[in-house]
Amino acid sequence: MSAPLSILDLAYINAGETPGDSFRASVDLARHAEAWGYRRIWYAEHHNMSIVGSSAPSVLIAHVASQTRTIRLGSGGVMLPNHAPLSIAEQFGTLETLYPGRIDLGLGRAPGGDQQTLRALRRDPRSGDTFPQDVLELQGYLSGQSRTRGVEATPGKGTDVPLYILGSSLFGARLAAALGLPFAFASHFAPGALEDAVALYRSEFQRSSQLDKPHVIAGVNVVAADSEKDAQEHFLAAKRRRVIQLLGRAGVDVPSHAARTILETPAGKQVLQQVEQEMRYTAVGTPLEVRGYLDRFADLVRADELIVASVAVDRRAWLRSVELVAEVTGPGDA
């Protein structure tokens, strides 16, 4: 592989599962990924999504860290405007104290949900405007150089938990470059500005105490299987799950008996076009086909690291996909 691989675990809650089932699957994935040589696993903060269990990344990170030994774990990411920087510094300072050298802190400025969810979180719609200042405040708490007189993070002070800026636009790229931080682009679901954002980040990057040269992480979906036919069937199921999720958020009820035929309905066909655009960067096929795709994708944006999201719905296929990718890539190798 031209770039090392990490994993994005969205803690999916599939039909017939509970959040507890999802968390047990996340622990199982992490234990296997550690043995297979993956560099890190990140968990994303989402709210009010019935199929996503990672609404509290720091809690999930703590649980998975307690069940593993060496793999790095982090947020991909914490939606910082939903929280006070001091609170996040204390949470991740606690994690770093408990599991030294294993914790990452990826930061985003989106709400992690819709406008109604934003109100339920008691979030001011304008809170994202102060994201750059909030990142600096958080960084100060973690480095032990607080920007708020008389206030320090305990735990947190001096832990220097590494920060990453997450984004899907030029805004995140410019901020990461200005602060000299690694930049992770959410191309696994928002691919539109990928190449422009990465080019901007590289051209404007300023060295910092954390990083002396640009570091780009690009998200990509994977569906690897032992046969091309199986991979395509699992990919179709993943698209179907996403269509049903989006229809549900729009207030359209999809009866369980109609789930397999939803893509044949007018509403399903319309939403499917959006889903296929979101999932533009998806590696589907046999292990060697997936490896070839990942190599080409990494070269496209000169990615320093790829973070892969296994999107197969079937649990065995979901885990097997990650295993097959490891077998043909040597995920920790650069």
Side-chain angles (χ1 to χ4, degrees), residues 13-161:
I13 306 168
N14 293 319
E17 291 185 339
T18 67
D21 295 326
S22 170
F23 299 151
R24 283 185 285 274
S26 289
V27 169
D28 190 37
L29 172 65
R31 286 173 170 167
H32 281 93
E34 187 171 76
W36 293 333
Y38 281 93
R39 173 171 290 199
R40 69 179 101 240
I41 301 178
W42 282 358
Y43 306 93
E45 178 184 346
H46 291 289
H47 299 283
N48 194 32
M49 294 186 183
S50 61
I51 68 169
V52 177
S54 52
S55 56
S58 61
V59 180
L60 185 53
I61 290 167
H63 176 61
V64 176
S66 73
Q67 305 297 309
T68 51
R69 296 183 299 110
T70 58
I71 194 167
R72 294 191 68 89
L73 301 164
S75 60
V78 162
M79 300 298 106
L80 188 55
N82 293 343
H83 312 274
L86 176 61
S87 177
I88 296 303
E90 292 168 341
Q91 290 176 31
F92 280 78
T94 298
L95 288 169
E96 175 63 24
T97 301
L98 290 169
Y99 308 103
R102 295 182 58 197
I103 303 301
D104 300 326
L105 177 48
L107 302 166
R109 67 168 180 148
D114 56 22
Q115 292 299 310
Q116 187 172 346
T117 304
L118 186 150
R119 289 190 290 272
L121 289 167
R122 303 296 191 269
R123 173 175 163 176
D124 185 329
R126 298 166 297 179
S127 56
D129 296 344
T130 61
F131 181 62
Q133 292 80 14
D134 291 343
V135 172
L136 289 171
E137 182 180 343
L138 172 59
Q139 190 176 48
Y141 291 135
L142 292 171
S143 67
Q145 299 176 8
S146 175
R147 291 170 173 260
T148 306
R149 180 175 297 179
V151 178
E152 295 182 344
T154 306
K157 178 182 178 181
T159 56
D160 291 307
V161 177

Side-chain angles (χ1 to χ4, degrees), residues 63 88 103 112 194 211 237 246 261 265 270 310 321 325:
H63 176 61
I88 296 303
I103 303 301
L194 172 62
L211 200 62
L246 291 175
T261 60
T265 68
Q270 182 177 0
S310 177
S321 185
V325 171

Side-chain angles (χ1 to χ4, degrees), residues 8 20 51 64 95 102 151 159 179 185 191 195 228-229 241 244-245 254 301 311:
L8 177 65
I51 68 169
V64 176
L95 288 169
R102 295 182 58 197
V151 178
T159 56
L179 299 183
F185 193 92
E195 294 180 65
E228 170 71 17
K229 180 176 180 290
R241 174 175 60 186
I244 293 172
Q245 179 194 14
V254 180
V301 291
V311 294

Side-chain angles (χ1 to χ4, degrees), residues 48-328:
N48 194 32
M49 294 186 183
S50 61
I51 68 169
V52 177
S54 52
S55 56
S58 61
V59 180
L60 185 53
I61 290 167
H63 176 61
V64 176
S66 73
Q67 305 297 309
T68 51
R69 296 183 299 110
T70 58
I71 194 167
R72 294 191 68 89
L73 301 164
S75 60
V78 162
M79 300 298 106
L80 188 55
N82 293 343
H83 312 274
L86 176 61
S87 177
I88 296 303
E90 292 168 341
Q91 290 176 31
F92 280 78
T94 298
L95 288 169
E96 175 63 24
T97 301
L98 290 169
Y99 308 103
R102 295 182 58 197
I103 303 301
D104 300 326
L105 177 48
L107 302 166
R109 67 168 180 148
D114 56 22
Q115 292 299 310
Q116 187 172 346
T117 304
L118 186 150
R119 289 190 290 272
L121 289 167
R122 303 296 191 269
R123 173 175 163 176
D124 185 329
R126 298 166 297 179
S127 56
D129 296 344
T130 61
F131 181 62
Q133 292 80 14
D134 291 343
V135 172
L136 289 171
E137 182 180 343
L138 172 59
Q139 190 176 48
Y141 291 135
L142 292 171
S143 67
Q145 299 176 8
S146 175
R147 291 170 173 260
T148 306
R149 180 175 297 179
V151 178
E152 295 182 344
T154 306
K157 178 182 178 181
T159 56
D160 291 307
V161 177
L163 302 184
Y164 299 74
I165 299 298
L166 279 59
S168 58
S169 69
L170 301 185
F171 178 92
R174 182 166 282 116
L175 178 62
L179 299 183
L181 295 176
F183 179 51
F185 193 92
S187 35
H188 62 293
F189 78 93
L194 172 62
E195 294 180 65
D196 289 342
V198 170
L200 176 66
Y201 168 70
R202 290 192 178 282
S203 68
E204 296 190 2
F205 180 82
Q206 302 292 316
R207 295 177 61 180
S208 70
S209 58
Q210 179 175 329
L211 200 62
D212 61 3
K213 62 181 180 179
H215 186 86
V216 172
I217 304 174
V220 58
N221 302 299
V222 296
V223 185
D226 293 292
S227 73
E228 170 71 17
K229 180 176 180 290
D230 286 347
Q232 291 295 340
E233 288 179 354
H234 291 308
F235 186 35
L236 180 62
K239 290 188 287 187
R240 186 185 297 119
R241 174 175 60 186
R242 179 62 173 156
V243 167
I244 293 172
Q245 179 194 14
L246 291 175
L247 287 173
R249 288 171 62 180
V252 178
D253 181 35
V254 180
S256 58
H257 71 271
R260 292 193 64 83
T261 60
I262 188 62
L263 301 186
E264 300 169 12
T265 68
K269 290 179 180 178
Q270 182 177 0
V271 176
L272 179 60
Q273 293 180 349
Q274 175 186 340
V275 170
E276 289 179 334
Q277 175 60 26
E278 288 180 353
M279 303 181 76
R280 182 198 312 174
Y281 295 122
T282 302
V284 184
T286 63
L288 289 178
E289 289 171 333
V290 167
R291 173 178 176 143
Y293 184 97
L294 294 177
D295 279 332
R296 293 190 298 274
F297 177 70
D299 291 343
L300 175 69
V301 291
R302 293 186 296 140
D304 301 290
E305 183 178 342
L306 298 182
I307 188 160
V308 300
S310 177
V311 294
V313 176
D314 178 83
R315 278 293 178 201
R316 286 175 294 182
W318 172 74
L319 188 62
R320 178 65 172 156
S321 185
V322 178
E323 179 183 16
L324 290 172
V325 171
E327 288 178 358
V328 294

